[in-house]
Amino acid sequence: MARKGKLNGTVMTRREFVFNLLQEGLVPVCFTNGRSNQYRLYDNTNRIWYIVTKTEHDFAKYLLDSGKIVSQE
């Protein structure tokens, strides 16, 4: 997850991206479209989401399930 991207004009690693979104209250969800799955970090109150890879989705689930990050929901 060393690949970099931008969120709100800030360059960060994908790991930091996942951490920041989880701290803002987004949760990992998986949508099944026929044969394929689409992984998202989803905000139910504002109905926004970011498409992430399976690795990022699993990492987000791990952080929430282990209690390393507490969701703001």
Side-chain angles (χ1 to χ4, degrees):
M1 289 203 274
R3 187 176 68 188
K4 296 195 180 201
K6 259 187 196 182
L7 177 65
N8 298 331
T10 305
V11 176
M12 62 182 70
T13 64
R14 297 296 289 183
R15 179 184 177 126
E16 293 169 331
F17 174 76
V18 170
F19 273 121
N20 289 340
L21 292 180
L22 290 177
Q23 289 175 339
E24 290 177 14
L26 280 74
V27 293
V29 293
C30 175
F31 291 97
T32 303
N33 301 337
R35 291 187 192 191
S36 65
N37 294 330
Q38 185 179 60
Y39 302 97
R40 299 177 182 177
L41 292 177
Y42 187 71
D43 181 0
N44 197 22
T45 56
N46 297 325
R47 299 193 187 260
I48 59 170
W49 67 85
Y50 296 91
I51 296 174
V52 295
T53 65
K54 182 175 184 335
T55 302
E56 293 162 350
H57 173 268
D58 292 345
F59 180 59
K61 283 188 59 89
Y62 163 75
L63 290 173
L64 290 175
D65 292 345
S66 67
K68 295 190 186 294
I69 290 184
V70 178
S71 180
Q72 300 294 321
E73 283 187 79

